[in-house]
Amino acid sequence: MFKVQIVKKGKRSFRDFKVSRGGDKTIVEIKLSTNDQYLHGYEEQVEEYGKAECTDKMIYVFIDLGNPGRLKRLVDVHKLNVKGHKKVPELFLIDATSKAAASTYSK
C-alpha cells in the first residue's frame, strides 16, 4: 500500500506530494509554466525537500500551459545537469496547452 501526503515541514512551504511505502519516500514537486519560480522549483526546491525527507528520490512535474520558452529552458537545463552527472529529479512534462476537442476534429 502506498501513502500519499501533502506535507509541510517547519517554516518551509508545502511540498506538492510525498509518496511513501514504509521507509521508501519520493518527493513530487509540481509547477505550472505560468509560475515565475518554475526553474527555482526544479533547481532548488525539490532537492531541499528531498533533503528534508532524507530521500534522493525526486520527481519534478512541469505542466506546460503554452509557454514554449520556459519549456525549452527547463529541458535544456535538465539535459545539461544530466550530462554533467548532477543529481537531478526525474522530469515529467505535461502538455496542457489548449487544443480542439477530439469530437470536433475533422480532416
Side-chain angles (χ1 to χ4, degrees):
M1 176 175 318
F2 289 95
K3 182 177 183 180
V4 178
Q5 294 176 287
I6 298 175
V7 181
K8 184 172 181 172
K9 198 84 150 168
K11 295 179 183 177
R12 290 282 191 181
S13 64
F14 285 96
R15 288 156 211 52
D16 291 317
F17 295 98
K18 176 177 80 174
V19 180
S20 61
R21 183 176 184 181
D24 187 15
K25 301 174 195 167
T26 300
I27 297 300
V28 181
E29 177 69 11
I30 301 171
K31 288 280 191 248
L32 297 174
S33 64
T34 54
N35 186 323
D36 291 338
Q37 296 296 309
Y38 77 101
L39 206 51
H40 175 74
Y42 171 81
E43 293 179 317
E44 306 288 335
Q45 281 180 307
V46 72
E47 186 172 345
E48 288 300 316
Y49 297 157
K51 287 178 186 175
E53 294 295 335
C54 300
T55 185
D56 61 355
K57 296 175 183 170
M58 303 169 293
I59 296 173
Y60 186 83
V61 179
F62 183 75
I63 303 174
D64 181 20
L65 298 172
N67 194 322
R70 289 185 177 180
L71 175 62
K72 182 181 181 331
R73 176 76 177 130
L74 177 63
V75 169
D76 288 349
V77 167
H78 183 73
K79 286 179 182 177
L80 283 173
N81 288 343
V82 169
K83 188 175 182 178
H85 303 287
K86 293 184 179 180
K87 180 171 68 171
V88 296
E90 190 166 344
L91 181 60
F92 287 86
L93 305 172
I94 298 175
D95 181 357
T97 55
S98 183
K99 297 172 185 61
S103 61
T104 62
Y105 179 78
S106 63
K107 287 187 173 189

XYZ file of all heavy atoms in Angstrom:
860
model
N 0.840 -1.169 0.000
C 0.000 0.000 0.000
C 0.892 1.242 0.000
O 1.883 1.302 0.696
C -0.912 0.035 1.222
C -1.696 1.293 1.235
S -2.960 1.543 2.495
C -3.797 0.054 2.635
N 0.504 2.239 -0.775
C 1.228 3.498 -0.843
C 0.507 4.541 -0.010
O -0.715 4.552 0.080
C 1.318 4.002 -2.290
C 2.231 3.192 -3.133
C 1.750 2.160 -3.915
C 3.587 3.449 -3.135
C 2.593 1.399 -4.700
C 4.442 2.694 -3.913
C 3.946 1.674 -4.703
N 1.281 5.439 0.550
C 0.728 6.553 1.317
C 1.081 7.829 0.556
O 2.242 8.050 0.211
C 1.354 6.574 2.704
C 0.840 7.646 3.602
C 1.488 7.505 4.978
C 0.949 8.524 5.940
N 1.582 8.380 7.265
N 0.083 8.652 0.258
C 0.301 9.920 -0.439
C -0.078 11.036 0.508
O -1.183 11.058 1.043
C -0.539 10.003 -1.742
C -0.331 11.338 -2.416
C -0.194 8.857 -2.677
N 0.869 11.970 0.714
C 0.638 13.066 1.654
C 1.003 14.402 1.029
O 1.921 14.489 0.229
C 1.531 12.922 2.891
C 1.256 11.741 3.759
C 2.284 11.681 4.870
O 3.421 11.344 4.620
N 1.867 12.013 6.075
N 0.309 15.438 1.453
C 0.752 16.805 1.232
C 1.356 17.203 2.571
O 0.689 17.138 3.598
C -0.411 17.728 0.847
C -1.018 17.251 -0.472
C 0.069 19.164 0.734
C -2.246 18.018 -0.893
N 2.628 17.552 2.555
C 3.365 17.706 3.797
C 3.925 19.113 3.945
O 4.391 19.708 2.988
C 4.551 16.700 3.831
C 5.315 16.819 5.124
C 4.048 15.281 3.629
N 3.899 19.638 5.155
C 4.565 20.889 5.473
C 5.591 20.595 6.547
O 5.309 19.921 7.528
C 3.582 21.944 5.962
C 4.256 23.275 6.213
C 3.289 24.377 6.503
C 4.083 25.656 6.712
N 3.256 26.805 6.816
N 6.798 21.073 6.354
C 7.888 20.814 7.283
C 8.426 22.147 7.790
O 8.908 22.953 7.013
C 8.991 20.056 6.543
C 9.961 19.352 7.408
C 9.441 18.022 7.815
C 10.519 17.017 8.041
N 10.063 15.852 8.667
N 8.319 22.409 9.081
C 8.875 23.633 9.653
C 8.274 24.873 9.032
O 7.076 24.962 8.813
N 9.143 25.837 8.744
C 8.698 27.116 8.179
C 8.659 27.083 6.656
O 8.292 28.053 6.020
C 9.633 28.240 8.637
C 9.585 28.463 10.130
C 10.531 29.561 10.539
C 10.514 29.720 12.049
N 11.456 30.719 12.505
N 9.068 25.979 6.072
C 9.085 25.847 4.622
C 7.668 25.775 4.072
O 6.727 25.424 4.755
C 9.846 24.577 4.209
C 11.323 24.664 4.463
C 11.896 25.481 3.392
N 13.339 25.427 3.374
C 14.028 26.105 2.509
N 13.456 26.840 1.608
N 15.333 26.057 2.537
N 7.555 26.042 2.785
C 6.248 25.954 2.145
C 5.860 24.493 1.945
O 6.666 23.594 2.131
C 6.298 26.667 0.790
O 7.199 26.013 -0.059
N 4.639 24.290 1.515
C 4.156 22.934 1.264
C 4.881 22.330 0.067
O 5.120 22.996 -0.916
C 2.649 22.952 0.957
C 1.810 23.170 2.164
C 1.352 24.435 2.485
C 1.489 22.108 2.995
C 0.580 24.626 3.606
C 0.713 22.299 4.114
C 0.254 23.574 4.433
N 5.236 21.081 0.183
C 5.670 20.316 -0.966
C 4.379 19.893 -1.648
O 3.343 19.837 -1.000
C 6.413 19.045 -0.539
C 7.770 19.323 0.016
C 8.094 18.151 0.914
N 8.921 18.389 2.039
C 8.788 19.295 2.986
N 7.832 20.170 2.937
N 9.610 19.361 3.977
N 4.455 19.549 -2.877
C 3.227 19.143 -3.520
C 2.780 17.780 -3.005
O 1.664 17.628 -2.575
C 3.379 19.174 -5.035
C 3.493 20.603 -5.526
O 2.732 21.456 -5.029
O 4.335 20.882 -6.358
N 3.687 16.790 -3.055
C 3.327 15.460 -2.570
C 4.550 14.749 -2.029
O 5.664 14.973 -2.486
C 2.767 14.577 -3.701
C 1.481 15.061 -4.262
C 1.464 15.808 -5.426
C 0.277 14.782 -3.638
C 0.278 16.275 -5.964
C -0.911 15.239 -4.174
C -0.911 15.981 -5.328
N 4.291 13.874 -1.101
C 5.282 12.881 -0.679
C 4.579 11.542 -0.815
O 3.498 11.341 -0.269
C 5.727 13.100 0.763
C 6.678 12.016 1.252
C 7.185 12.273 2.656
C 6.162 11.870 3.674
N 6.643 11.954 5.062
N 5.170 10.653 -1.576
C 4.622 9.316 -1.752
C 5.562 8.371 -1.020
O 6.779 8.426 -1.209
C 4.551 8.935 -3.250
C 3.982 7.547 -3.433
C 3.726 9.964 -4.017
N 5.014 7.520 -0.176
C 5.883 6.618 0.570
C 5.266 5.242 0.705
O 4.056 5.061 0.613
C 6.184 7.197 1.953
O 5.002 7.365 2.703
N 6.153 4.312 0.907
C 5.775 2.931 1.207
C 6.818 2.456 2.195
O 7.962 2.200 1.822
C 5.787 2.090 -0.050
C 5.323 0.675 0.198
C 5.270 -0.088 -1.093
N 4.732 -1.408 -0.837
C 4.574 -2.321 -1.735
N 4.904 -2.070 -2.981
N 4.083 -3.495 -1.427
N 6.424 2.416 3.466
C 7.394 2.130 4.513
C 8.400 3.263 4.584
O 8.032 4.423 4.618
N 9.692 2.938 4.547
C 10.739 3.961 4.598
C 11.127 4.499 3.236
O 11.971 5.380 3.128
N 10.527 3.980 2.178
C 10.833 4.405 0.812
C 9.985 5.628 0.478
O 8.759 5.531 0.387
C 10.543 3.261 -0.156
C 10.978 3.557 -1.575
O 11.753 4.513 -1.773
O 10.532 2.842 -2.482
N 10.630 6.809 0.310
C 9.903 8.057 0.077
C 10.299 8.675 -1.260
O 11.459 8.635 -1.645
C 10.218 9.067 1.168
C 9.886 8.628 2.557
C 10.373 9.653 3.547
C 10.388 9.072 4.942
N 11.132 9.912 5.861
N 9.337 9.287 -1.911
C 9.577 10.049 -3.137
C 8.890 11.395 -2.998
O 7.719 11.470 -2.635
C 9.020 9.315 -4.373
O 9.661 8.041 -4.474
C 9.270 10.109 -5.644
N 9.637 12.453 -3.299
C 9.104 13.817 -3.267
C 8.645 14.186 -4.680
O 9.360 13.943 -5.648
C 10.192 14.810 -2.810
C 10.631 14.494 -1.377
C 9.726 16.247 -2.929
C 9.540 14.566 -0.350
N 7.462 14.772 -4.791
C 6.929 15.199 -6.085
C 6.652 16.697 -6.021
O 5.867 17.153 -5.196
C 5.624 14.441 -6.438
C 5.112 14.888 -7.800
C 5.826 12.938 -6.395
N 7.326 17.449 -6.871
C 7.125 18.893 -6.974
C 6.422 19.167 -8.299
O 6.838 18.645 -9.344
C 8.475 19.613 -6.912
C 8.415 21.106 -7.083
C 7.763 21.854 -5.937
O 7.519 21.252 -4.872
O 7.490 23.041 -6.102
N 5.364 19.971 -8.264
C 4.597 20.281 -9.470
C 4.591 21.786 -9.684
O 4.323 22.543 -8.755
C 3.143 19.771 -9.344
C 3.133 18.260 -9.109
C 2.333 20.137 -10.587
C 1.764 17.705 -8.771
N 4.905 22.205 -10.893
C 4.876 23.632 -11.230
C 4.147 23.826 -12.556
O 4.319 23.056 -13.497
C 6.284 24.199 -11.384
C 7.054 24.351 -10.102
C 6.647 25.597 -9.354
C 7.615 25.869 -8.227
N 7.034 25.693 -6.918
N 3.366 24.888 -12.619
C 2.752 25.323 -13.871
C 3.750 26.196 -14.623
O 4.553 26.906 -14.006
C 1.489 26.139 -13.600
C 0.341 25.429 -12.896
C -0.764 26.424 -12.569
C -0.193 24.300 -13.753
N 3.672 26.199 -15.932
C 4.571 27.028 -16.730
C 4.317 28.517 -16.514
O 5.155 29.342 -16.860
C 4.455 26.684 -18.213
O 3.162 26.967 -18.703
N 3.197 28.863 -15.921
C 2.895 30.265 -15.625
C 3.569 30.740 -14.339
O 3.579 31.933 -14.051
C 1.373 30.466 -15.489
O 0.867 29.545 -14.515
C 0.673 30.257 -16.816
N 4.133 29.819 -13.572
C 4.779 30.156 -12.311
C 6.190 30.677 -12.586
O 7.030 29.971 -13.147
C 4.825 28.917 -11.410
C 5.342 29.212 -10.031
O 6.243 30.015 -9.834
N 4.766 28.541 -9.052
N 6.467 31.914 -12.174
C 7.787 32.512 -12.399
C 8.906 31.748 -11.692
O 10.067 31.894 -12.045
C 7.802 33.970 -11.936
C 6.956 34.869 -12.822
O 6.707 34.509 -13.989
O 6.538 35.948 -12.339
N 8.556 30.946 -10.707
C 9.555 30.209 -9.928
C 9.757 28.777 -10.438
O 10.303 27.936 -9.729
C 9.130 30.179 -8.455
C 9.088 31.545 -7.820
C 10.468 32.182 -7.768
O 11.416 31.564 -7.311
N 10.581 33.404 -8.254
N 9.333 28.508 -11.668
C 9.406 27.140 -12.202
C 10.829 26.585 -12.189
O 11.053 25.431 -11.850
C 8.812 27.069 -13.618
C 9.728 27.619 -14.694
C 10.476 26.766 -15.496
C 9.860 28.989 -14.897
C 11.321 27.268 -16.466
C 10.695 29.494 -15.864
C 11.432 28.637 -16.645
O 12.273 29.136 -17.593
N 11.809 27.396 -12.556
C 13.193 26.931 -12.618
C 13.779 26.779 -11.222
O 14.512 25.827 -10.948
C 14.025 27.880 -13.472
C 15.249 27.297 -14.145
C 14.955 26.024 -14.913
C 15.914 28.313 -15.041
N 13.440 27.683 -10.331
C 13.869 27.575 -8.935
C 13.317 26.291 -8.319
O 14.021 25.609 -7.564
C 13.396 28.798 -8.139
C 13.679 28.717 -6.682
N 14.943 28.877 -6.168
C 12.872 28.459 -5.637
C 14.896 28.737 -4.848
N 13.644 28.488 -4.507
N 12.084 25.964 -8.647
C 11.486 24.723 -8.157
C 12.272 23.510 -8.598
O 12.497 22.582 -7.821
N 12.716 23.527 -9.852
C 13.488 22.408 -10.398
C 14.901 22.366 -9.811
O 15.385 21.314 -9.419
C 13.568 22.511 -11.925
C 14.526 21.511 -12.531
C 14.131 20.199 -12.745
C 15.822 21.869 -12.855
C 15.009 19.267 -13.273
C 16.712 20.949 -13.388
C 16.306 19.661 -13.587
O 17.177 18.736 -14.101
N 15.564 23.529 -9.786
C 16.974 23.563 -9.387
C 17.186 23.523 -7.878
O 18.205 23.022 -7.425
C 17.645 24.818 -9.957
C 17.744 24.807 -11.464
C 18.378 26.067 -12.015
O 18.032 27.168 -11.543
O 19.234 25.936 -12.907
N 16.264 24.062 -7.100
C 16.490 24.214 -5.661
C 15.447 23.517 -4.793
O 15.795 22.721 -3.924
C 16.509 25.702 -5.289
C 17.488 26.542 -6.082
C 18.930 26.286 -5.716
O 19.190 25.851 -4.575
O 19.801 26.513 -6.570
N 14.185 23.838 -5.011
C 13.132 23.384 -4.092
C 13.053 21.876 -3.953
O 13.039 21.360 -2.840
C 11.763 23.902 -4.536
C 11.503 25.324 -4.185
C 10.130 25.760 -4.664
O 9.790 25.594 -5.837
N 9.357 26.306 -3.760
N 12.981 21.173 -5.065
C 12.771 19.728 -4.997
C 13.936 19.051 -4.264
O 13.741 18.132 -3.474
C 12.505 19.121 -6.393
C 13.741 19.082 -7.242
C 11.889 17.735 -6.275
N 15.153 19.541 -4.462
C 16.303 18.962 -3.764
C 16.249 19.259 -2.267
O 16.532 18.391 -1.443
C 17.613 19.476 -4.357
C 18.813 18.786 -3.755
C 20.119 19.133 -4.438
O 20.113 19.691 -5.548
O 21.150 18.832 -3.833
N 15.877 20.480 -1.900
C 15.750 20.834 -0.480
C 14.680 19.988 0.196
O 14.861 19.524 1.319
C 15.431 22.324 -0.316
C 16.602 23.225 -0.626
C 17.802 22.976 0.274
O 17.626 22.826 1.502
O 18.923 22.910 -0.264
N 13.574 19.780 -0.483
C 12.509 18.941 0.072
C 12.988 17.496 0.227
O 12.663 16.826 1.199
C 11.261 18.989 -0.802
C 10.619 20.352 -0.901
C 9.814 20.668 -1.982
C 10.812 21.321 0.076
C 9.216 21.913 -2.085
C 10.217 22.574 -0.024
C 9.420 22.861 -1.105
O 8.818 24.086 -1.212
N 13.763 17.032 -0.745
C 14.320 15.686 -0.656
C 15.237 15.544 0.546
O 15.173 14.551 1.275
N 16.082 16.545 0.770
C 16.967 16.528 1.933
C 16.162 16.505 3.226
O 16.485 15.775 4.162
C 17.889 17.746 1.928
C 18.984 17.681 0.899
C 19.819 18.949 0.943
C 20.844 18.990 -0.171
N 21.558 20.275 -0.192
N 15.120 17.325 3.278
C 14.290 17.400 4.484
C 13.615 16.063 4.780
O 13.380 15.725 5.940
C 13.238 18.498 4.338
N 13.310 15.292 3.737
C 12.647 13.998 3.906
C 13.640 12.830 3.865
O 13.234 11.668 3.868
C 11.579 13.797 2.826
C 10.416 14.746 2.926
C 9.584 14.550 4.189
O 9.584 13.437 4.756
O 8.933 15.519 4.604
N 14.939 13.162 3.800
C 16.004 12.142 3.768
C 15.818 11.158 2.611
O 15.871 9.945 2.792
C 16.086 11.394 5.096
S 16.436 12.474 6.490
N 15.580 11.712 1.429
C 15.445 10.871 0.238
C 16.097 11.556 -0.956
O 16.146 12.785 -1.032
C 13.964 10.569 -0.085
O 13.909 9.646 -1.174
C 13.175 11.819 -0.429
N 16.629 10.743 -1.854
C 17.148 11.284 -3.108
C 16.225 10.931 -4.267
O 16.546 11.135 -5.422
C 18.570 10.802 -3.374
C 18.675 9.296 -3.498
O 17.658 8.601 -3.276
O 19.775 8.808 -3.819
N 15.053 10.408 -3.943
C 14.045 10.080 -4.952
C 13.134 11.288 -5.129
O 12.345 11.615 -4.246
C 13.261 8.841 -4.544
C 14.137 7.612 -4.464
C 13.390 6.433 -3.957
C 14.354 5.258 -3.839
N 13.735 4.168 -3.126
N 13.305 11.946 -6.269
C 12.600 13.200 -6.511
C 11.988 13.193 -7.909
O 12.605 12.713 -8.855
C 13.569 14.374 -6.388
C 14.287 14.456 -5.063
S 15.635 15.664 -5.083
C 16.785 14.908 -6.222
N 10.793 13.755 -7.995
C 10.110 13.906 -9.279
C 9.701 15.368 -9.420
O 9.180 15.969 -8.473
C 8.860 13.000 -9.362
C 9.272 11.523 -9.304
C 8.056 13.301 -10.626
C 8.090 10.572 -9.210
N 9.958 15.923 -10.589
C 9.543 17.292 -10.893
C 8.576 17.223 -12.067
O 8.917 16.718 -13.139
C 10.749 18.162 -11.244
C 10.395 19.607 -11.426
C 10.283 20.462 -10.333
C 10.159 20.131 -12.687
C 9.953 21.799 -10.494
C 9.824 21.463 -12.860
C 9.721 22.291 -11.757
O 9.381 23.612 -11.926
N 7.360 17.725 -11.859
C 6.323 17.708 -12.888
C 6.122 19.149 -13.376
O 5.813 20.035 -12.577
C 4.992 17.143 -12.346
C 3.924 17.154 -13.426
C 5.189 15.739 -11.786
N 6.301 19.355 -14.671
C 6.142 20.676 -15.281
C 4.916 20.621 -16.181
O 4.869 19.836 -17.140
C 7.384 21.026 -16.096
C 7.356 22.398 -16.699
C 7.573 23.526 -15.920
C 7.125 22.566 -18.051
C 7.568 24.795 -16.485
C 7.114 23.826 -18.627
C 7.337 24.946 -17.835
N 3.938 21.435 -15.859
C 2.699 21.472 -16.637
C 2.745 22.679 -17.559
O 2.675 23.823 -17.104
C 1.463 21.512 -15.717
C 1.480 20.296 -14.782
C 0.179 21.568 -16.545
C 0.392 20.301 -13.733
N 2.908 22.410 -18.847
C 3.042 23.471 -19.848
C 1.671 23.963 -20.279
O 0.884 23.226 -20.869
C 3.822 22.939 -21.052
C 4.024 23.986 -22.122
O 3.916 25.196 -21.804
O 4.267 23.613 -23.277
N 1.409 25.225 -19.995
C 0.143 25.854 -20.371
C 0.312 26.756 -21.593
O -0.547 27.580 -21.874
C -0.411 26.664 -19.192
C -0.728 25.844 -17.940
C -1.074 26.755 -16.774
C -1.855 24.880 -18.218
N 1.429 26.579 -22.297
C 1.639 27.361 -23.510
C 2.761 28.364 -23.403
O 2.656 29.475 -23.904
N 3.840 28.000 -22.734
C 4.993 28.875 -22.624
C 6.211 28.124 -23.157
O 6.991 27.567 -22.382
C 5.193 29.304 -21.165
C 6.151 30.466 -21.043
O 7.132 30.532 -21.768
N 5.854 31.369 -20.136
N 6.394 28.084 -24.479
C 7.465 27.280 -25.065
C 8.866 27.705 -24.639
O 9.771 26.876 -24.561
C 7.270 27.435 -26.571
C 6.423 28.643 -26.745
C 5.609 28.790 -25.488
N 9.057 28.976 -24.333
C 10.370 29.444 -23.880
C 10.762 28.824 -22.549
O 11.901 28.393 -22.360
N 9.815 28.747 -21.633
C 10.096 28.147 -20.327
C 10.289 26.637 -20.450
O 11.150 26.064 -19.789
C 8.981 28.468 -19.338
C 9.007 29.925 -18.927
C 8.004 30.234 -17.859
N 8.148 31.632 -17.472
C 7.416 32.217 -16.560
N 6.468 31.552 -15.918
N 7.612 33.488 -16.253
N 9.503 26.014 -21.287
C 9.649 24.572 -21.502
C 11.038 24.267 -22.050
O 11.737 23.389 -21.543
C 8.572 24.060 -22.460
C 8.671 22.597 -22.868
C 8.527 21.683 -21.664
C 7.615 22.273 -23.915
N 11.461 25.016 -23.058
C 12.783 24.805 -23.660
C 13.882 25.045 -22.637
O 14.838 24.260 -22.542
C 12.981 25.717 -24.868
C 14.321 25.498 -25.552
C 14.509 26.424 -26.719
C 15.812 26.248 -27.461
N 16.954 25.775 -26.748
N 13.762 26.099 -21.866
C 14.786 26.416 -20.849
C 14.904 25.279 -19.835
O 16.004 24.860 -19.485
C 14.440 27.736 -20.157
C 15.364 28.106 -19.035
C 16.693 28.637 -19.543
N 17.500 29.042 -18.418
C 18.761 28.671 -18.228
N 19.360 27.926 -19.121
N 19.426 29.055 -17.176
N 13.780 24.788 -19.343
C 13.789 23.703 -18.366
C 14.418 22.439 -18.956
O 15.269 21.806 -18.320
C 12.368 23.407 -17.882
C 12.231 22.250 -16.901
C 12.983 22.525 -15.608
C 10.759 21.983 -16.614
N 14.029 22.077 -20.166
C 14.573 20.878 -20.809
C 16.078 21.042 -21.041
O 16.861 20.116 -20.792
C 13.821 20.573 -22.124
C 14.532 19.497 -22.930
C 12.385 20.151 -21.817
N 16.517 22.226 -21.469
C 17.944 22.473 -21.687
C 18.735 22.350 -20.381
O 19.794 21.729 -20.347
C 18.168 23.861 -22.297
C 17.725 23.959 -23.750
O 17.440 22.904 -24.369
O 17.644 25.094 -24.259
N 18.224 22.935 -19.309
C 18.897 22.856 -18.003
C 18.957 21.403 -17.538
O 19.995 20.944 -17.049
C 18.181 23.747 -16.958
C 18.655 23.447 -15.545
C 18.382 25.220 -17.284
N 17.865 20.679 -17.704
C 17.835 19.268 -17.300
C 18.881 18.463 -18.069
O 19.632 17.678 -17.473
C 16.432 18.693 -17.515
C 16.293 17.281 -17.065
N 16.257 16.919 -15.740
C 16.192 16.125 -17.769
C 16.137 15.604 -15.639
N 16.095 15.102 -16.861
N 18.942 18.651 -19.379
C 19.919 17.917 -20.191
C 21.347 18.239 -19.769
O 22.191 17.337 -19.670
C 19.728 18.245 -21.679
C 18.518 17.589 -22.301
C 18.382 17.972 -23.763
C 17.139 17.352 -24.377
N 16.970 17.768 -25.778
N 21.645 19.516 -19.502
C 22.985 19.908 -19.049
C 23.324 19.269 -17.701
O 24.446 18.809 -17.494
C 23.089 21.430 -18.939
C 23.241 22.189 -20.240
C 23.157 23.691 -19.995
C 24.578 21.846 -20.906
N 22.348 19.242 -16.805
C 22.588 18.640 -15.492
C 22.841 17.140 -15.604
O 23.717 16.607 -14.929
C 21.419 18.915 -14.553
C 21.363 20.354 -14.102
O 22.334 21.093 -14.215
N 20.208 20.759 -13.604
N 22.069 16.469 -16.441
C 22.265 15.026 -16.637
C 23.634 14.774 -17.256
O 24.386 13.902 -16.803
C 21.136 14.427 -17.516
C 21.469 13.010 -17.948
C 19.807 14.464 -16.766
N 23.966 15.565 -18.268
C 25.264 15.421 -18.935
C 26.409 15.685 -17.966
O 27.453 15.038 -18.043
C 25.342 16.382 -20.125
C 26.543 16.189 -21.007
C 26.489 17.092 -22.225
C 27.674 16.840 -23.131
N 27.613 17.674 -24.329
N 26.215 16.611 -17.038
C 27.233 16.937 -16.045
C 27.212 16.026 -14.832
O 27.881 16.287 -13.844
N 26.406 14.973 -14.885
C 26.308 13.969 -13.816
C 25.852 14.570 -12.482
O 26.268 14.122 -11.419
C 27.634 13.220 -13.649
C 28.082 12.553 -14.907
N 27.466 11.416 -15.392
C 29.054 12.880 -15.800
C 28.059 11.067 -16.527
N 29.012 11.931 -16.803
N 25.012 15.593 -12.552
C 24.449 16.176 -11.343
C 23.247 15.361 -10.896
O 22.592 14.708 -11.700
C 24.020 17.622 -11.588
C 25.167 18.565 -11.842
C 24.670 19.979 -11.976
C 25.840 20.923 -12.202
N 25.374 22.312 -12.337
N 22.973 15.425 -9.605
C 21.778 14.760 -9.080
C 20.570 15.574 -9.542
O 20.477 16.772 -9.282
C 21.835 14.711 -7.556
C 20.628 14.026 -6.940
C 20.789 13.797 -5.460
C 20.785 15.095 -4.690
N 20.726 14.915 -3.252
N 19.678 14.938 -10.276
C 18.512 15.639 -10.827
C 17.242 14.860 -10.504
O 17.266 13.636 -10.382
C 18.618 15.826 -12.353
C 19.789 16.704 -12.721
C 18.702 14.503 -13.076
N 16.126 15.565 -10.389
C 14.857 14.854 -10.227
C 14.450 14.226 -11.563
O 14.882 14.672 -12.632
C 13.876 15.964 -9.840
C 14.471 17.210 -10.401
C 15.957 17.020 -10.368
N 13.634 13.208 -11.473
C 13.043 12.667 -12.695
C 12.090 13.732 -13.223
O 11.318 14.317 -12.464
C 12.302 11.370 -12.391
C 11.881 10.639 -13.623
C 11.451 9.212 -13.355
O 11.745 8.671 -12.275
O 10.798 8.661 -14.246
N 12.158 14.017 -14.501
C 11.393 15.114 -15.088
C 10.215 14.575 -15.883
O 10.377 13.738 -16.773
C 12.299 15.948 -15.997
C 11.689 17.149 -16.692
C 11.151 18.165 -15.677
C 12.717 17.805 -17.608
N 9.019 15.061 -15.548
C 7.804 14.729 -16.281
C 7.258 16.016 -16.884
O 7.085 17.008 -16.172
C 6.744 14.120 -15.363
C 7.044 12.722 -14.933
C 7.828 12.475 -13.826
C 6.535 11.648 -15.647
C 8.119 11.183 -13.435
C 6.816 10.348 -15.259
C 7.613 10.120 -14.146
N 6.992 16.000 -18.172
C 6.449 17.160 -18.874
C 5.021 16.841 -19.303
O 4.774 15.821 -19.935
C 7.299 17.486 -20.103
C 8.788 17.704 -19.833
C 9.548 17.822 -21.134
C 8.995 18.921 -18.953
N 4.115 17.733 -18.949
C 2.702 17.551 -19.309
C 2.285 18.693 -20.222
O 2.394 19.868 -19.845
C 1.807 17.507 -18.053
C 2.197 16.313 -17.185
C 0.330 17.465 -18.450
C 1.470 16.244 -15.860
N 1.822 18.352 -21.404
C 1.334 19.351 -22.356
C -0.136 19.631 -22.040
O -1.002 18.807 -22.325
C 1.490 18.837 -23.778
C 1.023 19.836 -24.831
O 0.528 20.921 -24.455
O 1.155 19.525 -26.023
N -0.386 20.786 -21.429
C -1.751 21.166 -21.069
C -2.204 22.368 -21.890
O -3.098 23.110 -21.474
C -1.827 21.464 -19.575
N -1.592 22.533 -23.058
C -1.992 23.641 -23.913
C -3.377 23.355 -24.489
O -3.778 22.206 -24.644
C -0.978 23.852 -25.054
O -0.808 22.635 -25.780
C 0.366 24.314 -24.508
N -4.069 24.411 -24.791
C -5.438 24.296 -25.300
C -5.435 23.644 -26.679
O -4.637 24.006 -27.548
C -6.058 25.687 -25.371
O -7.389 25.604 -25.784
N -6.323 22.693 -26.845
C -6.464 22.001 -28.120
C -7.949 21.837 -28.429
O -8.775 21.858 -27.529
C -5.804 20.620 -28.044
C -4.314 20.682 -27.807
C -3.763 19.301 -27.545
C -2.317 19.322 -27.197
N -1.968 20.074 -26.007
N -8.236 21.646 -29.697
C -9.625 21.396 -30.078
C -10.069 20.038 -29.538
O -9.271 19.102 -29.458
C -9.762 21.415 -31.596
N -11.296 19.948 -29.160
C -11.849 18.674 -28.663
C -11.813 17.632 -29.781
O -12.040 17.952 -30.957
C -13.279 18.865 -28.172
N -11.532 16.400 -29.408
C -11.475 15.306 -30.398
C -12.795 15.164 -31.156
O -12.815 14.817 -32.336
C -11.111 14.002 -29.716
N -13.904 15.460 -30.492
C -15.219 15.315 -31.136
C -15.447 16.359 -32.226
O -16.307 16.189 -33.063
C -16.327 15.403 -30.089
O -16.276 16.655 -29.454
N -14.642 17.420 -32.229
C -14.801 18.466 -33.242
C -13.721 18.362 -34.326
O -13.692 19.192 -35.235
C -14.739 19.870 -32.621
O -13.448 20.047 -32.028
C -15.811 20.036 -31.593
N -12.876 17.360 -34.248
C -11.790 17.204 -35.195
C -12.321 16.742 -36.548
O -13.145 15.860 -36.644
C -10.761 16.183 -34.679
C -9.621 15.946 -35.625
C -8.593 16.870 -35.710
C -9.576 14.814 -36.417
C -7.535 16.659 -36.578
C -8.518 14.597 -37.285
C -7.499 15.529 -37.363
O -6.451 15.323 -38.222
N -11.830 17.374 -37.599
C -12.194 16.932 -38.952
C -10.946 16.994 -39.834
O -10.081 17.828 -39.638
C -13.292 17.801 -39.538
O -12.852 19.135 -39.670
N -10.902 16.116 -40.844
C -9.720 16.071 -41.724
C -9.839 17.068 -42.825
O -10.800 17.441 -43.341
C -9.556 14.674 -42.305
C -9.060 13.723 -41.261
C -8.743 12.385 -41.921
C -8.086 11.486 -40.918
N -7.572 10.284 -41.471
